Amino acid sequence: MLPRIISAQHDGAYRVWLEFSDGAMGTVNLEPELHGPLFEPLRDETLFSKLRLDADLRTVAWPNGADLAPEFLRELLESGITK
């Protein structure tokens, strides 16, 4: 079973600081992922900064309905895609 995201915070520009239930934590840069109709609006840093932890999905979500799979975010964290 994959660890759940238990905390997510905007960390400037297009970066998100994440904490997983197994203790893994760090910052990922999501700028390269902001393409397509649902994610391009997040290039507006004001909208991007409104990210939240969705309690039902257990992942990062935005007011426009965009969200990213927790598994994908974990892969980014592990691959070192950071600040």
Side-chain angles (χ1 to χ4, degrees):
M1 178 181 219
L2 261 164
R4 296 183 332 254
I5 297 173
I6 59 172
S7 184
Q9 298 174 12
H10 182 238
D11 195 22
Y14 304 107
R15 296 183 307 270
V16 180
W17 180 86
L18 301 166
E19 181 179 4
F20 288 84
S21 60
D22 66 352
M25 61 181 77
T27 299
V28 294
N29 178 10
L30 296 178
E31 185 173 15
E33 310 308 323
L34 302 180
H35 50 83
L38 195 57
F39 293 99
E40 283 180 15
L42 298 178
R43 290 193 174 274
D44 174 344
E45 287 186 44
T46 301
L47 180 59
F48 186 90
S49 72
K50 294 181 181 177
L51 66 90
R52 63 180 173 79
L53 181 60
D54 184 293
D56 294 328
L57 299 175
R58 292 287 190 190
T59 196
V60 177
W62 287 267
N64 71 338
D67 65 70
L68 292 166
E71 299 86 0
F72 175 72
L73 294 169
R74 181 59 180 255
E75 286 177 19
L76 287 178
L77 183 63
E78 290 176 355
S79 70
I81 307 295
T82 60
K83 298 179 187 181

